[in-house]
């Protein structure tokens, strides 16, 4: 399926992808396929008309996402529902997203990602418009809000996988593109809750839903105007069935030790660090210093993610996941500072440091996935990445309350700080993670490994050697 703004996919089926311990064939396919995203064009800078459109679309989407919790909380509480209802409404969107994003990855690899993303935005535009009408009319029924949330979750599961493959088709400097998008999303995360609060104060929760629907309309417009370059010549036509594509995506994911090792370790991170940190930091800071202090600390965390994105624009480490894991060490100071009872200024400083570290890690990880994975399976592998990353977060949040009751919230936060260090050490202990060499950087040469040429690259006649195969 193609559209006027996206050139058709073409090409033949590639060879099988090898595992970390296998031959170099899988790596060559991954490297040639990933760089093949550039086709035979001259290198594209980060900032172009089309990347700017995608940049705005991602910023608007993030802005809407950060406004939604405020709208749900303010709207449902106003109509007599409790905190449990707010959580149920949020879960109604999160559960379908986490459960269906893997299938969304298969769909994105079979059809036009641009069309799918536009369609998902339009579905969410309609859903949020209906929600706005319900809140304006004063006819707010929880099950209806949950159904609307579920529709949004399904649409998000279709939208998200295509994001991974769109970035390398718009910019040859993939790390720079990811850093710029991270900065935009971080800025939107800072502005979203404040904007939603103003809309609730001066209008109503329905006004927030109108604004949220507007972000989807503008995002769809940006994507409609987007002109995507042709997909990689290595991308294959999907003659197999849906189940076969799903199984192939799993095989490709499982064959990359660096990837599944990070996801497994990240599940531990979600349970022991991020899951308890989010609710317990909120309750402890509000209890000790008030809601304004919590807002200040959240703003510091968001500002830190902007800083991390700016750093990622400048630093180009050869071993990206090693550098990202070292940066992630910075997050430990955030929950530990709250657990230790530091003042607002100290916690805010730690939050900014933590935000910078996690943002830098996010750019390193996203760039590694987009450059190490062949384009014909990138959407599916990104979907497995998203699903695995989110799977354990609700578990960690659910366990936070019982753990705090048994050990004390301050002690749980101190443990979360320690576990953050443990998780980073675990990442660095995996050779395939710490040794992964960036694709677009210089690689050590091996006399007995012959490389396929980069798609579209000019080379003089005669034999050529590739660098040593990075773990993939």
């Amino acid at each position: 399926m193609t559209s006027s703004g996206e050139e058709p996919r073409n090409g033949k089926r590639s060879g099988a992808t090898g595992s970390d311990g296998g031959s170099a064939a899988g790596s060559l396919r991954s490297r040639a396929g990933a760089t093949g995203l550039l086709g035979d064009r001259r290198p594209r800078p980060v900032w172009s008309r089309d990347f700017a459109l995608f940049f705005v679309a991602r910023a608007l989407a993030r802005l809407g996402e950060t406004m939604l919790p405020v709208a749900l909380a303010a709207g449902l509480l106003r109509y007599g529902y409790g905190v449990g209802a707010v959580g149920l409404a949020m879960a109604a969107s999160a559960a379908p997203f986490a459960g269906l994003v893997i299938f969304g990855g298969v769909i994105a690899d079979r059809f036009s990602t641009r069309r799918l993303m536009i369609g998902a935005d339009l579905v969410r535009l309609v859903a949020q418009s209906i929600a706005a009408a319900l809140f304006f009319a004063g006819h707010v029924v929880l099950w209806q809000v949950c159904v609307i949330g579920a529709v949004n979750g399904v649409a998000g599961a279709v939208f998200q996988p295509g994001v991974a493959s769109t970035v390398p088709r718009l910019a040859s400097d993939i790390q720079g593109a990811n850093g710029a998008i991270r900065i935009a999303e971080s800025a939107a995360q800072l502005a979203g809750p404040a904007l939603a609060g103003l809309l609730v104060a001066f209008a109503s929760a329905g006004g927030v839903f109108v604004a949220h629907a507007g972000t989807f309309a503008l995002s769809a417009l940006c994507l409609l105007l987007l002109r995507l370059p042709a997909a990689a010549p290595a991308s294959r036509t999907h003659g197999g069935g849906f189940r076969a594509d799903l199984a192939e995506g799993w095989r490709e994911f499982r064959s990359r030790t660096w990837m599944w090792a990070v996801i497994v370790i990240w599940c531990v991170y979600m349970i022991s660090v991020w899951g308890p940190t989010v609710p317990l930091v909120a309750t402890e800071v509000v209890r000790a210093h008030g809601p304004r202090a919590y807002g200040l600390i959240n703003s510091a965390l968001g500002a830190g993610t902007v800083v991390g994105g700016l750093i990622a624009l400048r630093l180009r480490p050869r071993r990206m996941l090693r550098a990202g894991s070292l940066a992630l060490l910075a997050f430990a100071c955030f929950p530990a500072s709250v657990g230790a009872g530091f003042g607002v200024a100290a916690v805010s400083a730690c939050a900014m440091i933590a935000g910078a570290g996690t943002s830098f890690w996010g750019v390193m990880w996203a760039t590694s996935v987009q450059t190490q994975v062949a384009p014909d399976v990138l959407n599916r592998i990104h979907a497995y990445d998203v699903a695995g990353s989110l799977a354990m977060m609700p578990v960690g949040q659910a366990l936070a309350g019982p753990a705090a009751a048994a050990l004390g919230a301050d002690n749980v936060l101190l443990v979360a700080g320690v576990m953050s260090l443990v998780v980073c050490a675990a990442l660095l202990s995996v050779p395939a993670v710490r040794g992964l060499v960036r694709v677009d950087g210089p690689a050590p040469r091996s006399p007995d490994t012959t490389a396929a040429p980069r798609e579209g690259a000019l080379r003089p006649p005669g034999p050529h050697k590739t660098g040593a195969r990075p773990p993939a």
Side-chain angles (χ1 to χ4, degrees):
M1 180 184 296
T2 61
S3 67
S4 59
E6 181 174 3
E7 299 179 31
R9 299 169 183 263
N10 55 11
K12 301 179 180 179
R13 178 184 296 268
S14 303
T17 301
S19 64
D20 290 308
S23 69
S27 175
L28 295 177
R29 174 178 178 268
S30 175
R31 291 170 65 93
T35 55
L37 287 166
L38 303 179
D40 57 357
R41 298 167 178 76
R42 290 171 296 179
R44 296 181 300 279
V46 169
W47 289 106
S48 63
R49 170 194 174 274
D50 293 314
F51 178 76
L53 287 169
F54 187 69
F55 175 88
V56 172
R58 295 305 304 146
L60 289 169
R62 186 58 181 160
L63 182 68
E65 289 170 4
T66 57
M67 293 169 64
L68 184 59
V70 178
L72 286 174
L76 291 175
L77 292 175
R78 178 184 176 185
Y79 286 98
Y81 292 100
V83 177
V86 176
L88 183 61
M90 292 181 181
S93 177
F97 177 84
L100 298 176
V101 69
I102 292 175
F103 302 100
V106 177
I107 295 171
D109 271 335
R110 295 175 70 90
F111 302 107
S112 161
T113 54
R114 176 175 165 273
R115 278 191 173 183
L116 289 172
M117 289 191 290
I118 292 172
D121 273 343
L122 293 178
V123 168
R124 291 183 288 186
L125 165 62
V126 173
Q128 295 306 88
S129 298
I130 294 173
L134 293 177
F135 277 92
F136 277 129
H139 182 74
V140 179
V141 181
L142 181 60
W143 73 264
Q144 294 175 343
V145 175
C146 289
V147 169
I148 291 172
V151 171
N152 285 330
V154 173
V158 174
F159 183 100
Q160 183 61 37
V163 172
S165 63
T166 301
V167 172
R169 292 172 69 180
L170 293 175
S172 56
D173 182 4
I174 298 175
Q175 181 181 330
N178 283 319
I181 291 173
R182 180 56 61 103
I183 292 170
E185 292 177 342
S186 300
Q189 187 171 354
L190 281 171
L195 178 59
L198 289 174
L199 288 172
V200 169
F202 292 101
S204 67
V208 183
F209 282 101
V210 169
H212 193 195
T215 64
F216 289 128
L218 292 174
S219 174
L221 178 61
C222 289
L223 295 172
L224 186 64
L225 297 173
L226 186 66
R227 294 193 300 263
L228 277 178
S235 296
R236 64 179 177 87
T237 55
H238 291 258
F242 189 92
R243 183 178 298 180
D245 282 348
L246 190 65
E248 183 188 12
W250 171 250
R251 287 194 301 270
E252 294 280 353
F253 174 80
R254 190 179 59 183
S255 70
R256 293 166 170 83
T257 300
W258 62 270
M259 180 172 284
W260 64 255
V262 169
I263 297 302
V264 169
I265 295 170
W266 204 252
C267 288
V268 176
Y269 183 83
M270 284 294 174
I271 293 174
S272 61
V273 181
W274 187 256
T277 294
V278 173
L280 294 184
V281 164
T283 56
E284 290 301 292
V285 170
V286 170
R287 182 181 296 123
H289 306 288
R292 290 186 179 180
Y294 180 61
L296 176 63
I297 290 169
N298 255 351
S299 297
L301 183 66
T305 60
V306 173
V307 172
L310 290 171
I311 294 173
L313 286 175
R314 303 292 299 175
L315 294 184
R316 305 292 173 127
R318 186 165 178 265
R319 289 179 169 82
M320 303 178 72
L321 296 185
R322 178 187 295 183
S325 299
L326 292 172
L328 194 60
L329 290 167
F331 188 81
C333 66
F334 180 40
S337 65
V338 179
F342 289 1
V344 174
V347 173
S348 297
C350 290
M352 180 173 285
I353 294 170
T358 54
S359 180
F360 186 81
W361 157 262
V363 174
M364 296 298 105
W365 171 252
T367 305
S368 296
V369 173
Q370 291 164 350
T371 56
Q372 298 282 346
V373 176
D376 57 316
V377 293
L378 178 56
N379 292 318
R380 278 169 284 171
I381 284 188
H382 176 62
Y384 277 109
D385 164 28
V386 172
S389 299
L390 295 177
M392 292 296 108
M393 183 170 64
V395 177
Q397 292 175 334
L399 293 176
L407 304 174
D410 53 347
N411 290 325
V412 174
L413 288 170
L414 289 173
V415 170
V418 173
M419 286 303 301
S420 184
L421 301 177
V422 171
V423 163
C424 294
L427 289 171
L428 292 169
S429 71
V430 180
V433 174
R434 69 173 184 268
L436 186 70
V437 178
R438 64 184 300 138
V439 165
D440 55 350
R445 303 183 71 82
S446 171
D448 53 1
T449 306
T450 304
R454 178 186 292 263
E455 290 283 350
L458 299 177
R459 48 175 271 183
H464 293 264
K465 299 290 185 181
T466 184
R469 181 175 76 91

